[in-house]
Each structure stands twice: as C-alpha cells, then as structure tokens.
Amino acid sequence: VRVAAGTVRALAAIGISAPGPLDHRRGVVHEAPNIPGFREVPLAEDIGRDLGRPVFVDRDTVVAAIGEARYGAARGVRDFVYVTVSTGIGGAIVTDGRILRGTSGTAGEIGHIPVDPDGPRCGCGGNGCIEAIASGANIARAYGVSDTRAVFAAARTGDARAREILRRAERALGDLAVTLVNVINPARIVVGGGVTTGEPDFVFGAMRRAISERAFAVPGHAVEVVEAALGDDVSLIGAAAMAVARAEDREPLE
Ligand SMILES: [Zn+2]
C-alpha cells in the first residue's frame, strides 16, 4: 500500500479491522483461518513501525459493533448483539455499554454455538456449529455450488434439496436468535452481512419467528431484530471510531 507521507503524519492514529481470534490490547492476530501461515502476527507493531503512527487492531466484528453503536443501528443502546451472516457467521456482544471480551479476548464468537451434534464439521474443530449450517459459504457447499444465491434460486423453483438445506439454516439462525435473547437479554440484535442484505426476508424471518415462538417471553418482548445501518462502510467507520478512542486511552464505547 502506498500512502503519501504527509497524509500519514497528519493521522492521530490508525485503526485496523482484522479477522480473529486476536489480542486487541497488543494488536496481535493469533490466527487468520483464511490466510495460510498468518499466525501470531504482531500487526499493530509491524504497521506502526512502518508508518510511524500508533496503530490499534480489533476483531472485524467488534469493529463493526463499534461503528453501529456510534453511528448506526445501535446508537444509544447499551445492550445489543451485532451479528453478521455472511461467508461466515460472527458477532460481538455489548452488555451494559461495554464490549464483552472474555478472559482471552475471544468472546462473542456466536457462529460457533453448536446446535446439531450430527451436523457438519466446522472450521473451528467442532460439529454442527451455527456457522457450519447457516453461513453463506456452508449453505453453498452443502448444495455443491460456490454461490449462495444459486441455492436460494433453486429453493424458489421448488428444489427439495435446496429447500432442506435452507430449512436447516433457518432453524440454526432461529437457534442463534433464541440463544442470544435467552442468555444475553439484549435490547437489539443488529444483523448485517452479505446473506442478510441478499436475503433479508430469510434471515430476519428466521430470527424473528424463532424469538416469538420459542424464546422466554420477557426478553423476547424486549428485543428488536434490526438491519445493520452502515453497510459496506461499517469497518472503515468502526475502525476510525475505535482508533480515535484508543489513542485517547478510552474504551471505544465510553
Ligand atoms: Zn464452529
């Protein structure tokens, strides 16, 4: 990447949205499953040394949650879950105005809730995770194609195999929604990602129906499932907000 030196010197800080799991405090990416050999990479240190500015790194879904909280569909909401249904399924949990990190910083990997012991093997090493059943890549793989849209198109023409794959994905997305509602009690579930924007009726229908049919009544009535507002710009907007806050030694949502 070539950046004019004057432009870089004018920056207070640089924010990077990276695939996890990672250590956001040190800016080290532990592992990027889709990039072979990308292990324990000190991204913040390497890029900071090259560009001479402070660099802050966070998980892509956490960065998206920060963007949606500051400027998008979760503005003013202290308890929400950001969910992306895309090639994979990921998320971030914000509870009482703070990002839930967990002891190793990996909390919020909501795509890896196991929902079917006999389900397909998942990239995480588990079996029947929500991601293994309902992510775009895995819906397409189950049907033997590379593009999720082909599966939805086949289902619309009545193809029984495509319908069965989508019925399972719908069930898994419903399980995700009910789990989040019953366990986290969020005011909002903000859903983005390519499958969501491509097939909003499918994703929102699966989640909303499951909540109304099978979640606890009190948290079920308290939650809204809404579309993410920032679209493809969510990482840019979230990374800028994250970097500004951390350069000032603040938590990004405080
Ligand atoms: Zn998994």
Side-chain angles (χ1 to χ4, degrees), residues 46-141:
D46 285 355
I47 293 180
R49 191 189 316 111
D50 285 351
L51 296 180
R53 306 304 305 149
V55 174
F56 301 101
V57 176
D58 217 327
R59 194 168 79 229
D60 45 12
T61 47
V62 170
V63 168
I66 292 167
E68 292 290 342
R70 296 295 301 275
Y71 303 106
R75 252 181 302 182
V77 181
R78 291 182 62 78
D79 293 276
F80 74 94
V81 182
Y82 174 80
V83 176
T84 175
V85 185
S86 192
T87 310
I89 293 181
I93 296 165
V94 173
T95 183
D96 199 19
R98 293 180 70 92
I99 299 155
L100 185 72
R101 295 289 189 177
T103 193
S104 312
T106 68
E109 290 283 8
I110 55 165
H112 299 280
I113 298 168
V115 292
D116 179 2
D118 302 317
R121 189 91 176 141
C122 183
C124 71
N127 262 77
C129 293
I130 291 163
E131 174 169 296
I133 298 165
S135 75
N138 287 318
I139 288 172
R141 186 171 304 140

Side-chain angles (χ1 to χ4, degrees), residues 68 73 81-86 89 134 139 152 166 169-178 180-181 188-214 220 223-231:
E68 292 290 342
V81 182
Y82 174 80
V83 176
T84 175
V85 185
S86 192
I89 293 181
I139 288 172
F152 283 95
L166 293 181
E170 181 185 350
R171 174 83 196 181
L173 290 175
D175 289 343
L176 171 60
V178 170
L180 295 177
V181 165
R188 221 166 269 178
I189 299 175
V190 176
V191 194
V195 176
T196 308
T197 50
E199 297 289 341
D201 293 347
F202 175 76
V203 172
F204 288 106
M207 296 179 87
R208 288 176 183 148
R209 236 181 348 263
I211 291 168
S212 72
E213 289 172 4
R214 352 187 220 126
V223 70
E224 290 178 288
V225 183
V226 303
E227 191 160 5
L230 302 180

Side-chain angles (χ1 to χ4, degrees), residues 11-43:
L11 297 175
I14 294 163
I16 297 178
S17 165
L22 54 76
D23 179 339
H24 71 284
R25 290 192 187 83
R26 295 189 300 128
V28 175
V29 177
H30 295 309
E31 194 183 339
N34 298 320
I35 310 174
F38 208 84
R39 282 178 174 274
E40 300 304 325
V41 176
L43 206 55

